[in-house]
Protein backbone atom coordinates (compact mmCIF):
# COMPACT_ATOMS: atom_id res chain seq x y z
CA UNK A 1 0.00 0.00 0.00
CA UNK A 2 1.29 3.47 -0.88
CA UNK A 3 2.03 5.70 2.10
CA UNK A 4 1.40 9.19 0.70
CA UNK A 5 2.99 11.04 3.61
CA UNK A 6 6.14 8.91 3.52
CA UNK A 7 6.46 9.16 -0.26
CA UNK A 8 6.05 12.95 -0.19
CA UNK A 9 8.76 13.21 2.47
CA UNK A 10 11.08 11.26 0.21
CA UNK A 11 10.59 13.85 -2.53
CA UNK A 12 12.24 16.63 -0.50
CA UNK A 13 15.77 15.16 -0.65
CA UNK A 14 15.24 14.33 -4.32
CA UNK A 15 14.46 17.98 -5.02
CA UNK A 16 17.48 19.00 -2.94
CA UNK A 17 19.82 16.76 -4.90
CA UNK A 18 18.16 17.70 -8.18
CA UNK A 19 18.59 21.43 -7.60
CA UNK A 20 22.19 21.06 -6.51
CA UNK A 21 23.21 18.76 -9.36
CA UNK A 22 21.42 21.03 -11.84
CA UNK A 23 23.36 23.91 -10.35
CA UNK A 24 26.82 22.42 -10.78
CA UNK A 25 26.06 20.74 -14.12
CA UNK A 26 24.67 24.01 -15.49
CA UNK A 27 27.74 25.92 -14.34
CA UNK A 28 29.94 23.26 -15.89
CA UNK A 29 28.12 23.68 -19.19
CA UNK A 30 28.47 27.47 -18.99
CA UNK A 31 32.22 27.04 -18.54
CA UNK A 32 32.54 24.48 -21.33
CA UNK A 33 30.43 26.33 -23.89
CA UNK A 34 31.64 29.86 -23.22
CA UNK A 35 35.26 29.15 -22.42
CA UNK A 36 36.46 30.68 -25.69
CA UNK A 37 34.56 33.93 -25.07
CA UNK A 38 37.06 35.08 -22.42
CA UNK A 39 34.42 35.75 -19.80
CA UNK A 40 36.78 34.54 -17.12
CA UNK A 41 39.52 36.64 -15.61
CA UNK A 42 43.13 36.19 -16.59
CA UNK A 43 44.18 35.25 -13.05
CA UNK A 44 42.07 32.10 -13.08
CA UNK A 45 43.53 28.66 -13.62
CA UNK A 46 42.92 26.37 -16.58
CA UNK A 47 40.30 24.53 -14.54
CA UNK A 48 38.18 27.07 -12.71
CA UNK A 49 36.36 26.86 -9.40
CA UNK A 50 32.60 26.54 -9.17
CA UNK A 51 32.52 29.92 -7.46
CA UNK A 52 34.37 31.53 -10.38
CA UNK A 53 31.69 30.47 -12.86
CA UNK A 54 28.95 31.23 -10.35
CA UNK A 55 30.39 34.70 -9.82
CA UNK A 56 29.86 35.45 -13.51
CA UNK A 57 26.49 33.72 -13.92
CA UNK A 58 25.23 35.10 -10.63
CA UNK A 59 21.49 34.92 -11.25
CA UNK A 60 21.61 31.25 -12.17
CA UNK A 61 23.92 30.45 -9.26
CA UNK A 62 21.86 32.35 -6.68
CA UNK A 63 18.51 30.90 -7.77
CA UNK A 64 19.58 27.26 -7.78
CA UNK A 65 21.68 27.63 -4.62
CA UNK A 66 18.67 29.14 -2.86
CA UNK A 67 16.40 26.34 -4.08
CA UNK A 68 18.92 23.78 -2.87
CA UNK A 69 19.14 25.47 0.52
CA UNK A 70 15.36 25.64 0.89
CA UNK A 71 14.81 21.98 0.10
CA UNK A 72 17.78 21.03 2.28
CA UNK A 73 16.22 22.77 5.28
CA UNK A 74 12.88 21.09 4.55
CA UNK A 75 14.59 17.71 4.29
CA UNK A 76 16.36 18.07 7.62
CA UNK A 77 13.14 19.13 9.35
CA UNK A 78 11.31 16.11 7.96
CA UNK A 79 14.17 13.85 8.96
CA UNK A 80 14.06 15.25 12.50
CA UNK A 81 10.43 14.16 12.87
CA UNK A 82 11.32 10.87 11.20
CA UNK A 83 14.04 10.25 13.79
CA UNK A 84 11.54 10.85 16.59
CA UNK A 85 9.52 7.93 15.28
CA UNK A 86 12.26 5.33 15.63
CA UNK A 87 13.57 6.84 18.87
CA UNK A 88 10.11 6.55 20.48
CA UNK A 89 10.89 2.95 21.39
CA UNK A 90 13.23 4.45 24.01
CA UNK A 91 10.45 6.70 25.31
CA UNK A 92 11.16 8.32 28.64
CA UNK A 93 14.81 7.28 28.74
CA UNK A 94 18.02 9.28 28.65
CA UNK A 95 18.74 7.70 25.27
CA UNK A 96 15.63 9.27 23.77
CA UNK A 97 16.70 12.71 25.01
CA UNK A 98 20.17 12.21 23.56
CA UNK A 99 18.74 11.25 20.18
CA UNK A 100 16.40 14.26 20.27
CA UNK A 101 19.18 16.74 21.04
CA UNK A 102 21.51 15.24 18.44
CA UNK A 103 18.75 15.51 15.85
CA UNK A 104 18.13 19.14 16.79
CA UNK A 105 21.86 19.91 16.58
CA UNK A 106 22.09 18.19 13.20
CA UNK A 107 19.14 20.20 11.89
CA UNK A 108 20.67 23.44 13.18
CA UNK A 109 24.00 22.67 11.51
CA UNK A 110 22.17 21.92 8.27
CA UNK A 111 20.32 25.25 8.57
CA UNK A 112 23.61 27.13 9.00
CA UNK A 113 25.05 25.24 6.02
CA UNK A 114 22.02 26.11 3.89
CA UNK A 115 22.23 29.80 4.79
CA UNK A 116 25.96 29.74 4.06
CA UNK A 117 25.25 28.31 0.61
CA UNK A 118 22.82 31.12 -0.17
CA UNK A 119 25.14 33.82 1.14
CA UNK A 120 28.23 32.56 -0.67
CA UNK A 121 26.26 32.68 -3.92
CA UNK A 122 25.17 36.26 -3.19
CA UNK A 123 28.63 37.46 -2.12
CA UNK A 124 30.53 36.31 -5.19
CA UNK A 125 34.21 35.52 -5.23
CA UNK A 126 35.16 38.45 -7.49
CA UNK A 127 33.71 41.30 -5.41
CA UNK A 128 33.56 39.82 -1.88
CA UNK A 129 36.30 37.21 -1.84
CA UNK A 130 36.99 37.04 1.96
CA UNK A 131 33.27 36.88 2.77
CA UNK A 132 32.70 34.28 0.06
CA UNK A 133 35.51 32.05 1.35
CA UNK A 134 34.23 32.40 4.92
CA UNK A 135 30.76 31.19 3.97
CA UNK A 136 32.29 28.38 1.93
CA UNK A 137 34.19 27.19 5.01
CA UNK A 138 30.99 27.42 7.08
CA UNK A 139 29.17 25.36 4.46
CA UNK A 140 31.72 22.55 4.48
CA UNK A 141 32.09 22.45 8.27
CA UNK A 142 28.38 22.50 9.03
CA UNK A 143 27.46 19.88 6.44
CA UNK A 144 30.16 17.63 7.90
CA UNK A 145 28.94 18.27 11.44
CA UNK A 146 25.35 17.58 10.41
CA UNK A 147 26.40 14.24 8.92
CA UNK A 148 28.25 13.24 12.08
CA UNK A 149 25.31 14.16 14.29
CA UNK A 150 23.06 11.98 12.12
CA UNK A 151 25.40 9.01 12.23
CA UNK A 152 26.03 8.96 16.00
CA UNK A 153 22.49 8.12 17.19
CA UNK A 154 22.02 5.43 14.55
CA UNK A 155 25.33 3.63 15.09
CA UNK A 156 25.99 4.13 18.78
CA UNK A 157 22.78 4.94 20.64
CA UNK A 158 20.44 2.34 19.15
CA UNK A 159 21.17 -1.37 19.41
CA UNK A 160 17.89 -2.74 18.09
CA UNK A 161 18.12 -5.31 15.32
CA UNK A 162 14.77 -5.07 13.60
CA UNK A 163 14.51 -4.46 9.86
CA UNK A 164 14.09 -0.69 10.14
CA UNK A 165 17.11 -0.19 12.38
CA UNK A 166 19.29 -2.35 10.16
CA UNK A 167 18.21 -0.27 7.17
CA UNK A 168 19.03 3.02 8.94
CA UNK A 169 22.38 1.60 9.99
CA UNK A 170 23.27 0.77 6.40
CA UNK A 171 22.37 4.31 5.33
CA UNK A 172 24.50 5.69 8.17
CA UNK A 173 27.48 3.64 6.97
CA UNK A 174 27.06 5.05 3.46
CA UNK A 175 27.05 8.59 4.87
CA UNK A 176 30.11 7.79 6.94
CA UNK A 177 31.93 6.51 3.84
CA UNK A 178 31.09 9.71 1.97
CA UNK A 179 32.36 11.78 4.89
CA UNK A 180 35.60 9.79 5.15
CA UNK A 181 36.09 10.14 1.40
CA UNK A 182 35.50 13.89 1.56
CA UNK A 183 38.05 14.57 4.31
CA UNK A 184 41.25 14.03 2.24
CA UNK A 185 39.70 15.91 -0.68
CA UNK A 186 38.97 18.91 1.55
CA UNK A 187 42.50 18.78 2.97
CA UNK A 188 44.01 18.65 -0.52
CA UNK A 189 41.80 21.56 -1.59
CA UNK A 190 42.91 23.60 1.42
CA UNK A 191 46.60 22.94 0.82
CA UNK A 192 46.59 23.56 -2.93
CA UNK A 193 44.44 26.67 -2.57
CA UNK A 194 46.74 28.11 0.10
CA UNK A 195 49.92 27.60 -1.94
CA UNK A 196 48.99 30.18 -4.57
CA UNK A 197 45.99 31.71 -2.75
CA UNK A 198 43.73 30.53 -5.55
CA UNK A 199 45.26 32.98 -8.03
CA UNK A 200 47.40 32.24 -11.08
CA UNK A 201 49.85 35.01 -11.99
CA UNK A 202 50.28 35.45 -15.72
CA UNK A 203 52.68 32.89 -17.14
CA UNK A 204 53.04 30.94 -13.88
CA UNK A 205 52.60 27.32 -15.00
CA UNK A 206 53.27 25.95 -11.53
CA UNK A 207 50.46 27.91 -9.90
CA UNK A 208 48.20 27.01 -12.79
CA UNK A 209 48.71 23.31 -12.06
CA UNK A 210 48.32 23.78 -8.31
CA UNK A 211 45.18 25.90 -8.51
CA UNK A 212 43.69 23.62 -11.16
CA UNK A 213 44.19 20.73 -8.73
CA UNK A 214 42.34 22.73 -6.09
CA UNK A 215 39.54 23.35 -8.57
CA UNK A 216 39.24 19.62 -9.31
CA UNK A 217 38.91 19.03 -5.56
CA UNK A 218 36.23 21.73 -5.46
CA UNK A 219 34.17 19.97 -8.13
CA UNK A 220 34.72 16.61 -6.42
CA UNK A 221 33.38 17.95 -3.13
CA UNK A 222 30.35 19.32 -4.96
CA UNK A 223 29.62 15.87 -6.39
CA UNK A 224 30.05 14.27 -2.96
CA UNK A 225 27.64 16.83 -1.53
CA UNK A 226 25.09 15.86 -4.17
CA UNK A 227 25.60 12.20 -3.25
CA UNK A 228 25.03 13.05 0.39
CA UNK A 229 21.74 14.76 -0.48
CA UNK A 230 20.67 11.60 -2.30
CA UNK A 231 21.33 9.46 0.79
CA UNK A 232 18.58 11.39 2.56
CA UNK A 233 16.09 9.65 0.28
CA UNK A 234 16.88 6.33 1.93
CA UNK A 235 16.21 7.79 5.38
CA UNK A 236 12.55 7.94 4.38
CA UNK A 237 12.40 4.51 2.76
CA UNK A 238 11.14 1.69 4.95
CA UNK A 239 12.70 -1.74 4.48
CA UNK A 240 10.59 -4.02 2.34
CA UNK A 241 8.04 -6.16 4.07
CA UNK A 242 9.65 -9.28 2.66
CA UNK A 243 13.04 -8.38 4.12
CA UNK A 244 11.53 -7.57 7.48
CA UNK A 245 9.60 -10.85 7.46
CA UNK A 246 12.75 -12.79 6.63
CA UNK A 247 14.57 -11.07 9.47
CA UNK A 248 11.78 -11.77 11.95
CA UNK A 249 11.54 -15.36 10.72
CA UNK A 250 15.27 -15.82 11.22
CA UNK A 251 15.06 -14.44 14.74
CA UNK A 252 12.09 -16.69 15.52
CA UNK A 253 13.89 -19.76 14.21
CA UNK A 254 16.97 -18.91 16.27
CA UNK A 255 14.85 -18.51 19.39
CA UNK A 256 13.01 -21.74 18.69
CA UNK A 257 16.29 -23.60 18.18
CA UNK A 258 17.54 -22.36 21.52
CA UNK A 259 14.33 -23.38 23.24
CA UNK A 260 14.47 -26.86 21.67
CA UNK A 261 17.91 -27.60 23.03
CA UNK A 262 17.84 -30.36 25.69
CA UNK A 263 17.97 -29.03 29.22
CA UNK A 264 19.40 -31.08 32.05
CA UNK A 265 18.56 -30.55 35.65
CA UNK A 266 21.25 -30.39 38.31
CA UNK A 267 20.17 -33.80 39.61
CA UNK A 268 20.61 -35.39 36.18
CA UNK A 269 24.04 -33.83 35.83
CA UNK A 270 25.05 -35.18 39.24
CA UNK A 271 23.85 -38.70 38.41
CA UNK A 272 25.75 -38.63 35.11
CA UNK A 273 28.90 -37.49 36.90
CA UNK A 274 28.65 -40.23 39.54
CA UNK A 275 28.08 -42.88 36.88
CA UNK A 276 31.10 -41.70 34.95
CA UNK A 277 33.16 -41.89 38.15
CA UNK A 278 32.10 -45.48 38.86
CA UNK A 279 32.95 -46.54 35.32
CA UNK A 280 36.38 -45.02 35.70
Amino acid sequence: MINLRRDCCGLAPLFTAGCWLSNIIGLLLFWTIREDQREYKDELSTIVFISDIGGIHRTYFIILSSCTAGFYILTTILRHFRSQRWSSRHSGTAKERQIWWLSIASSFSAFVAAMSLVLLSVFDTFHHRPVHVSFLILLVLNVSLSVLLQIIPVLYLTKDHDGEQLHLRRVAYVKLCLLVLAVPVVLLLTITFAICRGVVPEGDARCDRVVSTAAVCDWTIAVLLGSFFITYVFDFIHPSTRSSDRHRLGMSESTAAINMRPHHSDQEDKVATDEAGRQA
Side-chain angles (χ1 to χ4, degrees):
M1 182 180 295
I2 296 176
N3 188 323
L4 184 59
R5 179 185 298 178
R6 185 186 68 201
D7 294 342
C8 290
C9 289
L11 291 176
L14 280 179
F15 284 132
T16 307
C19 289
W20 178 245
L21 293 176
S22 298
N23 194 1
I24 60 175
I25 291 173
L27 293 175
L28 182 62
L29 290 175
F30 280 134
W31 172 49
T32 304
I33 295 172
R34 302 188 179 184
E35 182 184 15
D36 58 346
Q37 297 182 13
R38 298 187 178 276
E39 287 190 73
Y40 305 99
K41 292 190 174 182
D42 295 333
E43 293 184 344
L44 299 182
S45 56
T46 303
I47 302 176
V48 296
F49 292 95
I50 296 174
S51 299
D52 296 331
I53 311 173
I56 295 171
H57 306 283
R58 293 184 71 247
T59 302
Y60 180 87
F61 191 38
I62 291 173
I63 290 175
L64 283 180
S65 295
S66 300
C67 290
T68 302
F71 283 117
Y72 183 33
I73 293 173
L74 176 61
T75 299
T76 55
I77 292 174
L78 293 174
R79 190 190 181 280
H80 169 71
F81 289 107
R82 174 81 171 83
S83 67
Q84 300 314 298
R85 178 182 175 278
W86 56 262
S87 67
S88 61
R89 66 192 65 191
H90 306 290
S91 179
T93 64
K95 185 175 292 186
E96 183 191 25
R97 291 191 294 272
Q98 291 173 343
I99 293 174
W100 189 87
W101 280 111
L102 286 171
S103 179
I104 288 292
S106 175
S107 300
F108 178 76
S109 297
F111 176 79
V112 175
M115 291 299 97
S116 300
L117 177 60
V118 174
L119 291 172
L120 72 84
S121 66
V122 173
F123 296 98
D124 63 88
T125 186
F126 296 124
H127 301 96
H128 311 279
R129 189 179 183 84
V131 178
H132 179 87
V133 173
S134 299
F135 283 124
L136 178 60
I137 294 172
L138 279 176
L139 171 64
V140 173
L141 290 179
N142 280 280
V143 169
S144 302
L145 181 59
S146 180
V147 176
L148 278 176
L149 293 173
Q150 290 175 24
I151 292 172
I152 290 173
V154 177
L155 296 184
Y156 299 106
L157 294 182
T158 56
K159 301 300 181 182
D160 301 312
H161 297 284
D162 61 7
E164 184 177 9
Q165 282 297 312
L166 290 174
H167 170 75
L168 291 173
R169 204 164 285 129
R170 294 189 192 103
V171 176
Y173 279 123
V174 172
K175 292 180 180 180
L176 182 60
C177 290
L178 289 174
L179 182 61
V180 171
L181 184 61
V183 169
V185 181
V186 172
L187 290 176
L188 182 60
L189 169 62
T190 304
I191 294 170
T192 51
F193 186 87
I195 291 175
C196 295
R197 298 184 179 275
V199 176
V200 180
E202 186 176 356
D204 192 334
R206 172 180 170 274
C207 274
D208 181 60
R209 290 193 299 270
V210 171
V211 177
S212 292
T213 302
V216 171
C217 294
D218 184 40
W219 288 95
T220 303
I221 293 170
V223 173
L224 290 174
L225 181 59
S227 302
F228 165 66
F229 289 149
I230 293 174
T231 62
Y232 268 109
V233 177
F234 299 96
D235 285 331
F236 298 98
I237 295 178
H238 289 247
S240 64
T241 304
R242 184 176 299 177
S243 299
S244 300
D245 290 342
R246 282 201 303 267
H247 179 77
R248 285 194 294 269
L249 180 60
M251 293 293 290
S252 300
E253 290 176 349
S254 300
T255 304
I258 293 173
N259 293 332
M260 291 176 64
R261 290 176 182 173
H263 297 280
H264 301 284
S265 64
D266 294 339
Q267 184 66 27
E268 291 175 338
D269 291 338
K270 183 178 180 181
V271 171
T273 303
D274 293 341
E275 184 177 349
R278 286 195 299 270
Q279 290 177 357

